[in-house]
Amino acid sequence: MAEEIKVHSEEALTEEEIFNQDAPRKKLKVTNAFQQLMNPNKPKPKQQQKPERSTGGNPFKNRMGLGAYLDDPASFPASIVIAHDNEFVVIHDKFPKATVHTLILPRSSKCNLKHPFDAFDDPELLVKVKVQVEKVKSLVAAELQRKLGTYSEAERDRQAVLDGKVDLKPGQDLPKGRDWAKEIKVGVHAVPSMTHLHVHILSRDMHSESLKHRKHYNSFVTEFLVDIDDFPLPKDDPRRRTKEEGYLARDLCCWRCGKNFGAQFKQLKEHLDGEFDKWKRE
Amino acid sequence: MAEEIKVHSEEALTEEEIFNQDAPRKKLKVTNAFQQLMNPNKPKPKQQQKPERSTGGNPFKNRMGLGAYLDDPASFPASIVIAHDNEFVVIHDKFPKATVHTLILPRSSKCNLKHPFDAFDDPELLVKVKVQVEKVKSLVAAELQRKLGTYSEAERDRQAVLDGKVDLKPGQDLPKGRDWAKEIKVGVHAVPSMTHLHVHILSRDMHSESLKHRKHYNSFVTEFLVDIDDFPLPKDDPRRRTKEEGYLARDLCCWRCGKNFGAQFKQLKEHLDGEFDKWKRE
DNA sequence: TATTCCGATAGTGAC
DNA sequence: GTCACTATCGGAATGAG
Ligand SMILES: Nc1ncnc2c1ncn2[C@@H]1O[C@H](COP(=O)(O)O)[C@@H](O)[C@H]1O
Ligand SMILES: Nc1ncnc2c1ncn2[C@@H]1O[C@H](COP(=O)(O)O)[C@@H](O)[C@H]1O
Ligand SMILES: [Zn+2]
Ligand SMILES: [Zn+2]
């Protein structure tokens, strides 16, 4: 069977190289000190009054952070912004949860503040996104090859033939090498935290220092991650009603062998170290 | 009204001064490594098998720690063992929860492993304990005077007259100085953790570095501390059924002004710093 | 289900 | 509700020219 995605390129994930600065920042705050009165009732864990909220806050802070890429994608180096055109900005996730983790940001202001379930009810947008996804999957596959190809047994078998170190037997095909595209997941979070519409494209290994707690992990290995291929999402799909559901509170289970770690995140992390070593050698 | 307890002594809490060593320790362990099998079910937060339990363990470890004082009280310096005779050993709590915190340990092997509620059903023991309590309260009061007397306003008023710096008006009595005995609490925990029978005698300030969490605090400021004067405890006293009661999980409230800190232990601690400064100056 | 800091909570191990 | 250690869980701020 033919590979649909070419994954043997040696290119890294770069298209443009316009350097500039980080996301712009503004500040405007008035700080007032408030006296805390004797409190006869149980205080909620907030103990101080907040200073007055200032008017005219600043863009691209906190949950608005992805807006900076849409606002001026050319201002970022290629190590951050992978590619951009009038329709999309493609970036490296700043806190990658896997060896390769990128985001596709649709630029259209008509849709890019919508919830993905609503935004992708628009078939025109959805088809564009799916086309863009295929392109980015190729880039991510190439990046996996660049980072991990030397460990891969399948790649070594192929390379041995290419290098003339092993001769093909009569009628034998050139070994295919590793199909990295099969190791890539694409989808959106059922309840995103970042405001701007974005699609995750990431390798499935979940091996990353930025993966720091149970919700990080479960948000990519449970139905909380809604595959792009599931769109358009049926009106009655139960994931449309994901709110404070249990997906993220589920037991931690290894994506590769299924082993259950309960709530023991650190134990899972150590196990994932070992699974990563085996996975990259496949 | 006459003071019942003389608290103006300048003696520190010492009676004997036989030095020796800390509680004895022995070791005997066999360590085996066990292979952890793949676990299809949620593990409880224990992840490793324990090594085989060794036979003939060592006394006076962990919850048995108070036994060392009963076993050989003379082996401890006066800075640890305050006094001892055939009936009692009196010690400084190794992790004091207040400025002065001592323990009375009855030596009788007939009672000293009983729960205090059961042990104090014996009227003969109870009366001896109450007599001993009064002696130790005097020692603790003297220790408070030694540590904090210089800060006390009541003490300064008395001392000014004693030093001849202030003259008594006709018919005026010598100021009494501070009644430190009123600042002392005596009782047992409804559910002790240390195995050997012990009575707490401590100042009420709860100002100590060893006071580290909510249960420490609430175990001395709620009904979890059963006053020695409440014994003999009625058979139907609800505190006899203290097990998983809510005493220790209660909101943190300042013993001095009643302010409620909810679960905010650190906030309470900072508040207690201030209360201690005011309290010691009374 | 943004990150980061900080603190409260919870389980274990104690030779 | 021994202590000490680790880790998990949980709220609140996130900005000072
Ligand atoms: N400033 C940022 N730049 C790039 N990626 C970000 C930034 N802040 C957060 N992220 C990523 O954005 C994603 C948002 O996830 P979610 O909103 O749950 O779909 C996460 O994977 C974050 O790591
Ligand atoms: N080795 C020890 N020497 C002296 N006091 C101790 C020792 N270990 C624990 N304690 C104290 O013993 C008391 C036991 O409290 P409880 O069993 O809750 O009544 C606590 O106040 C501890 O600080
Ligand atoms: Zn596994
Ligand atoms: Zn107070």
Side-chain angles (χ1 to χ4, degrees):
Chain A
M1 38 317 258
E3 292 173 330
E4 293 173 358
I5 309 289
K6 179 171 73 73
V7 296
H8 298 290
S9 159
E10 291 292 330
E11 320 158 27
L13 290 183
T14 70
E15 288 197 0
E16 316 206 350
E17 302 247 358
I18 304 168
F19 285 69
N20 210 344
Q21 75 232 346
D22 279 341
R25 306 185 172 213
K26 301 180 184 171
K27 328 167 204 176
L28 176 58
K29 192 178 73 166
V30 177
T31 302
N32 294 333
F34 281 80
Q35 186 67 28
Q36 184 180 15
L37 298 177
M38 219 259 309
N39 182 355
N41 297 319
K42 168 169 27 181
K44 286 294 162 227
K46 104 176 73 144
Q47 69 268 25
Q48 316 281 27
Q49 309 282 107
K50 324 183 138 169
E52 269 311 311
R53 172 143 294 283
S54 63
T55 56
N58 350 51
F60 313 149
K61 278 287 166 187
N62 308 327
R63 293 183 157 86
M64 298 292 287
L66 301 182
Y69 304 105
L70 301 175
D71 187 57
D72 188 5
S75 69
F76 294 88
S79 58
I80 296 177
V81 171
I82 299 164
H84 60 95
D85 61 16
N86 289 334
E87 302 282 350
F88 297 102
V89 179
V90 183
I91 65 171
H92 288 288
D93 193 295
K94 190 176 179 181
F95 307 95
K97 307 306 189 293
T99 297
V100 181
H101 186 174
T102 67
L103 302 176
I104 294 175
L105 313 176
R107 299 191 76 169
S108 156
S109 57
K110 181 164 61 71
C111 73
N112 71 7
L113 293 178
K114 287 184 182 172
H115 187 287
F117 295 170
D118 301 323
F120 295 160
D121 282 340
D122 172 3
E124 195 175 346
L125 173 67
L126 182 59
V127 68
K128 285 185 194 166
V129 165
K130 288 189 173 185
V131 168
Q132 185 67 22
V133 159
E134 291 309 310
K135 296 179 186 171
V136 176
K137 276 185 75 171
S138 292
L139 292 174
V140 169
E143 181 73 354
L144 285 170
Q145 167 65 13
R146 187 182 71 81
K147 284 187 166 177
L148 304 178
T150 63
Y151 304 103
S152 166
E153 185 177 331
E155 287 300 320
R156 277 200 306 272
D157 293 346
R158 174 188 176 87
Q159 204 58 44
V161 173
L162 290 176
D163 294 347
K165 294 184 179 147
V166 168
D167 290 329
L168 288 181
K169 298 190 174 57
Q172 188 183 11
D173 288 337
L174 176 67
K176 289 273 194 309
R178 187 160 180 185
D179 184 0
W180 292 107
K182 288 182 177 165
E183 313 291 351
I184 296 169
K185 302 198 280 197
V186 179
V188 299
H189 279 163
V191 183
S193 284
M194 297 302 278
T195 306
H196 297 86
L197 182 62
H198 56 279
V199 181
H200 295 268
I201 305 94
L202 70 164
S203 54
R204 65 196 302 224
D205 51 278
M206 307 310 292
H207 187 260
S208 169
E209 289 201 343
S210 293
L211 188 99
K212 294 184 175 175
H213 54 67
R214 185 205 299 231
K215 289 177 178 180
H216 280 159
Y217 184 76
N218 278 343
S219 76
F220 289 105
V221 302
T222 69
E223 301 97 308
F224 194 87
L225 183 71
V226 182
D227 195 292
I228 191 67
D229 291 335
D230 294 348
F231 289 92
L233 207 60
K235 287 298 179 194
D236 61 348
D237 191 294
R239 291 169 291 186
R240 283 189 185 264
R241 289 182 294 280
T242 300
K243 280 279 176 287
E244 311 296 321
E245 313 276 334
Y247 295 136
L248 302 178
R250 279 201 195 151
D251 284 358
L252 294 162
C253 294
C254 175
W255 63 270
R256 195 160 178 270
C257 74
K259 180 169 174 180
N260 185 324
F261 291 84
Q264 297 173 202
F265 183 78
K266 184 162 190 149
Q267 301 279 121
L268 170 69
K269 286 282 284 186
E270 288 166 9
H271 179 82
L272 289 178
D273 288 344
E275 294 289 40
F276 179 66
D277 281 342
K278 288 182 281 184
W279 173 78
K280 73 186 183 187
R281 288 179 166 77
E282 281 182 10
Chain B
M1 35 325 255
E3 290 172 331
E4 293 173 357
I5 309 291
K6 178 171 74 73
V7 296
H8 297 291
S9 159
E10 290 293 330
E11 317 158 29
L13 291 183
T14 70
E15 287 197 359
E16 317 207 349
E17 302 244 358
I18 303 166
F19 285 68
N20 210 346
Q21 78 233 344
D22 280 340
R25 306 185 174 213
K26 299 177 185 172
K27 327 172 204 182
L28 176 58
K29 191 180 72 170
V30 178
T31 303
N32 294 333
F34 282 78
Q35 187 65 28
Q36 182 181 16
L37 299 176
M38 219 255 315
N39 180 357
N41 297 318
K42 169 170 25 184
K44 286 294 161 229
K46 104 175 68 144
Q47 70 269 23
Q48 315 280 27
Q49 310 281 107
K50 325 182 134 169
E52 271 309 314
R53 170 142 297 281
S54 62
T55 55
N58 351 45
F60 313 150
K61 279 285 166 190
N62 308 327
R63 292 183 157 84
M64 298 292 288
L66 301 182
Y69 304 106
L70 300 176
D71 187 57
D72 189 5
S75 67
F76 294 88
S79 59
I80 296 177
V81 170
I82 299 165
H84 60 97
D85 62 15
N86 288 334
E87 302 282 351
F88 297 101
V89 178
V90 182
I91 65 170
H92 287 287
D93 193 295
K94 191 175 179 182
F95 307 94
K97 306 307 188 293
T99 297
V100 181
H101 186 175
T102 67
L103 304 175
I104 293 174
L105 313 176
R107 299 191 77 169
S108 155
S109 58
K110 181 164 61 70
C111 73
N112 71 7
L113 293 178
K114 287 184 180 170
H115 188 286
F117 295 170
D118 301 323
F120 295 161
D121 282 340
D122 172 3
E124 195 174 346
L125 174 68
L126 182 59
V127 68
K128 284 185 195 166
V129 165
K130 289 190 173 184
V131 168
Q132 185 68 22
V133 159
E134 290 309 310
K135 295 179 186 171
V136 175
K137 276 185 73 170
S138 292
L139 293 173
V140 169
E143 181 73 351
L144 286 170
Q145 167 66 13
R146 187 182 71 80
K147 284 186 166 178
L148 305 178
T150 62
Y151 305 102
S152 166
E153 186 176 331
E155 286 300 321
R156 277 200 305 273
D157 292 345
R158 174 187 175 86
Q159 204 59 42
V161 173
L162 290 176
D163 293 347
K165 292 182 182 151
V166 168
D167 290 328
L168 288 180
K169 297 190 174 60
Q172 187 183 9
D173 288 337
L174 178 67
K176 290 272 195 309
R178 188 160 179 185
D179 185 1
W180 292 106
K182 288 182 177 165
E183 312 291 349
I184 296 170
K185 303 197 279 196
V186 180
V188 298
H189 279 164
V191 182
S193 285
M194 298 303 277
T195 306
H196 297 85
L197 182 62
H198 56 280
V199 180
H200 296 269
I201 305 93
L202 69 164
S203 53
R204 65 196 303 223
D205 51 279
M206 307 311 291
H207 187 260
S208 169
E209 290 200 343
S210 293
L211 189 98
K212 293 183 174 176
H213 53 69
R214 186 206 298 234
K215 288 178 177 182
H216 279 160
Y217 184 76
N218 278 342
S219 76
F220 289 105
V221 303
T222 69
E223 300 97 308
F224 194 88
L225 182 71
V226 182
D227 195 290
I228 192 67
D229 291 334
D230 293 349
F231 290 93
L233 207 62
K235 288 298 180 194
D236 62 347
D237 191 294
R239 290 169 292 185
R240 282 188 185 264
R241 290 182 295 279
T242 301
K243 278 277 175 291
E244 312 298 320
E245 313 273 336
Y247 296 136
L248 301 178
R250 280 202 194 149
D251 285 358
L252 294 162
C253 295
C254 174
W255 62 270
R256 195 159 179 271
C257 74
K259 180 169 174 180
N260 186 323
F261 290 85
Q264 297 172 207
F265 183 78
K266 185 164 186 144
Q267 301 278 121
L268 170 68
K269 286 281 284 186
E270 288 166 9
H271 179 82
L272 289 178
D273 288 343
E275 294 289 39
F276 179 66
D277 281 341
K278 289 182 279 184
W279 173 78
K280 73 187 183 187
R281 288 178 168 75
E282 281 182 10

